[in-house]
């Protein structure tokens, strides 16, 4: 299905939008300036992830004067990744660029990424050397970065930066993955595409607040952990085995001691400690299994990754050019 909007776009810019009313006009202006300067056909795809503020009307009014702007509206909030994937599915360009709507990723950095693509890389990712986020937000990211490096075997300096440029082929690869917890960077690392990172500026969020709270981050990271390896469950099993062996040895030792001394060397506290330890491990293991089973369940249900309520194509007649 060919896009009715900017036919033959060379660049497709995909922006997930969730309650970003205050940022959209400036984003649109700055992004448009950058894209025009590149002097190749482009399209901007705003994917509204079920915003409840004025984001959609604002995007609609921006579209009035812009034949490059496509708006995809979700039925409800599905999350940043589904929004990006929806944008990928629509993108017609040879080069696909993603960035956040909150102006934390300055659009002015895009040419830097494109220069690297021209050098032959297939994916160029921004690296925020100086993150302008509170520690409460950067600390979890630090943990995730380390984890990702260990799991995928490729260490990037920054897995979380959504200012990226992809060759079309990489995006086509990503679309092949039916799994729900799509971790774009993890997948690309795993696919061994040629990745490089360039340092980009990061601003503080212009208006609005971060859409990630702790429960959301934890859920995402469990997705990552269970989605990318079975190591966690193996570790838990190994710990379980170790503890069980310990219990067995302890039991044997106590038995031997009892026989040798003819009395009990065992009090309630020791028993309680052992019971707590073992039952804790069991619960942990059960929870881990639950994580995998739960994900399997969700996958088997086969619910759509996202649901599009409406797509607003740019009007061919209205805009300039
Ligand atoms: N976003 C989205 N759906 C969500 C959460 C976020 O589309 O459920 C968008 C949001 O509008 C922004 C980007 O994803 O464009 C990154 O979100 P945010 O800036 O809140 O994340 P942070 O910078 O804290 O990582
Ligand atoms: Mg942000």
């Amino acid at each position: 299905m060919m896009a009715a909007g900017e036919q033959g776009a060379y660049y497709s810019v995909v922006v997930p939008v969730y309650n970003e009313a205050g940022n959209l006009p400036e984003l649109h202006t700055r992004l448009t300036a950058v894209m025009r300067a590149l002097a190749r056909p482009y399209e901007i795809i705003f994917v509204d992830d079920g915003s409840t503020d004025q984001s959609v009307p604002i995007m609609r009014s921006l579209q009035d004067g812009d034949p490059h702007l496509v708006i995809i509206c979700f039925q409800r909030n599905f999350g940043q990744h589904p929004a990006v994937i929806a944008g990928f599915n629509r993108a017609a360009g040879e080069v696909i660029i993603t960035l956040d709507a909150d102006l934390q990723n300055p659009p002015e950095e895009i040419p830097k990424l494109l220069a690297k693509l021209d050098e032959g890389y297939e994916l160029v990712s921004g690296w925020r050397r100086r993150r302008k986020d509170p520690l409460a937000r950067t600390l979890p990211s630090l943990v995730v970065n380390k984890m990702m490096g260990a799991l995928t075997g490729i260490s990037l300096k920054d897995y979380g930066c959504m200012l990226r440029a992809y060759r079309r082929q990489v995006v086509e690869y990503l679309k092949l993955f039916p799994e729900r917890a799509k971790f774009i960077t993890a997948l690309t690392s795993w696919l061994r595409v040629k990745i490089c990172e360039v340092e980009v500026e990061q601003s503080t969020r212009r208006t609005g607040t971060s859409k990630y709270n702790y429960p959301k981050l934890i859920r995402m990271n469990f997705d990552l952990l269970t989605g990318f390896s079975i190591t966690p469950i193996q570790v838990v099993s190994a710990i379980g085995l170790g503890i069980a062996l310990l219990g067995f040895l302890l039991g044997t030792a106590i038995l031997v001691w009892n026989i040798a001394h003819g009395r009990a060397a065992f009090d309630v506290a020791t028993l309680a400690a052992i019971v707590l330890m073992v039952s804790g491990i069991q619960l942990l293991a059960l929870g881990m299994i639950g994580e995998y089973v739960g994900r399997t369940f969700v996958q088997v249900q086969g619910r759509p990754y996202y649901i599009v309520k409406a797509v607003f194509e740019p009007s061919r007649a209205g805009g300039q050019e």
Side-chain angles (χ1 to χ4, degrees), residues 143-263:
V143 176
V144 174
N145 266 13
K146 289 273 173 263
M147 212 162 71
M148 293 283 281
L151 287 180
T152 60
I154 288 189
S155 58
L156 292 182
K157 296 182 197 82
D158 186 355
Y159 282 91
C161 184
M162 281 310 285
L163 180 56
R164 296 201 185 128
Y166 304 77
R167 286 246 162 252
R168 158 141 228 106
Q169 191 167 29
V170 176
V171 167
E172 292 300 333
Y173 291 162
L174 291 175
K175 291 200 280 191
L176 294 176
F177 287 81
E179 60 210 76
R180 299 183 72 83
K182 283 181 204 281
F183 275 88
I184 292 174
T185 332
L187 285 174
T188 47
S189 303
W190 184 80
L191 284 167
R192 301 290 182 265
V193 303
K194 282 184 73 186
I195 303 180
C196 86
E197 289 183 291
V198 292
E199 202 182 323
V200 295
E201 276 306 313
Q202 194 203 14
S203 333
T204 45
R205 211 171 208 294
R206 202 52 61 91
T207 67
T209 53
S210 172
K211 307 301 183 286
Y212 287 100
N213 47 25
Y214 273 109
K216 217 166 169 173
L217 277 175
I218 289 172
R219 197 163 353 108
M220 204 163 86
N221 292 332
F222 252 115
D223 278 343
L224 186 67
L225 208 63
T226 54
F228 260 84
S229 81
I230 55 167
T231 312
I233 202 142
Q234 290 168 336
V235 168
V236 169
S237 309
I239 294 174
L241 192 69
I243 299 274
L245 274 176
L246 212 70
F248 180 74
L249 287 178
L250 195 66
T252 313
I254 288 169
L255 200 69
V256 170
W257 201 92
N258 280 357
I259 291 169
H261 293 82
R263 59 189 162 91

Side-chain angles (χ1 to χ4, degrees), residues 6-266:
E6 183 66 21
Q7 296 268 353
Y10 183 80
Y11 297 116
S12 299
V13 186
V14 173
V15 188
V17 175
Y18 182 46
N19 294 339
E20 303 284 4
N23 299 314
L24 286 168
E26 182 181 340
L27 172 72
H28 181 256
T29 309
R30 286 169 57 186
L31 187 56
T32 299
V34 171
M35 296 318 291
R36 273 170 183 273
L38 291 170
R40 273 192 152 147
Y42 71 92
E43 61 179 358
I44 297 174
I45 304 168
F46 279 163
V47 184
D48 176 69
D49 185 18
S51 296
T52 50
D53 66 354
Q54 289 301 299
S55 291
V56 175
I58 288 171
M59 285 189 274
R60 295 282 283 137
S61 68
L62 292 171
Q63 199 180 30
D64 276 346
D66 185 359
H68 303 274
L69 186 57
V70 178
I71 304 166
I72 298 174
C73 293
F74 281 1
Q75 171 63 26
R76 48 155 291 153
N77 179 243
F78 280 90
Q80 182 182 356
H81 284 267
V84 169
I85 298 294
F88 281 174
N89 285 332
R90 165 63 201 241
E94 280 309 308
V95 170
I96 289 125
I97 299 154
T98 55
L99 80 162
D100 286 349
D102 59 2
L103 292 166
Q104 282 197 277
N105 307 142
E108 292 74 21
E109 302 279 30
I110 290 173
K112 242 195 229 176
L113 303 188
L114 297 178
K116 279 285 173 191
L117 274 193
D118 286 340
E119 283 177 24
Y121 289 99
E122 296 163 300
L123 165 58
V124 184
S125 189
W127 164 39
R128 302 160 292 179
R129 187 199 283 272
R130 290 172 294 272
R131 276 189 73 164
K132 304 267 177 52
D133 281 314
L135 186 69
R137 182 72 187 78
T138 53
L139 207 61
S141 300
L142 195 77
V143 176
V144 174
N145 266 13
K146 289 273 173 263
M147 212 162 71
M148 293 283 281
L151 287 180
T152 60
I154 288 189
S155 58
L156 292 182
K157 296 182 197 82
D158 186 355
Y159 282 91
C161 184
M162 281 310 285
L163 180 56
R164 296 201 185 128
Y166 304 77
R167 286 246 162 252
R168 158 141 228 106
Q169 191 167 29
V170 176
V171 167
E172 292 300 333
Y173 291 162
L174 291 175
K175 291 200 280 191
L176 294 176
F177 287 81
E179 60 210 76
R180 299 183 72 83
K182 283 181 204 281
F183 275 88
I184 292 174
T185 332
L187 285 174
T188 47
S189 303
W190 184 80
L191 284 167
R192 301 290 182 265
V193 303
K194 282 184 73 186
I195 303 180
C196 86
E197 289 183 291
V198 292
E199 202 182 323
V200 295
E201 276 306 313
Q202 194 203 14
S203 333
T204 45
R205 211 171 208 294
R206 202 52 61 91
T207 67
T209 53
S210 172
K211 307 301 183 286
Y212 287 100
N213 47 25
Y214 273 109
K216 217 166 169 173
L217 277 175
I218 289 172
R219 197 163 353 108
M220 204 163 86
N221 292 332
F222 252 115
D223 278 343
L224 186 67
L225 208 63
T226 54
F228 260 84
S229 81
I230 55 167
T231 312
I233 202 142
Q234 290 168 336
V235 168
V236 169
S237 309
I239 294 174
L241 192 69
I243 299 274
L245 274 176
L246 212 70
F248 180 74
L249 287 178
L250 195 66
T252 313
I254 288 169
L255 200 69
V256 170
W257 201 92
N258 280 357
I259 291 169
H261 293 82
R263 59 189 162 91
F266 198 77

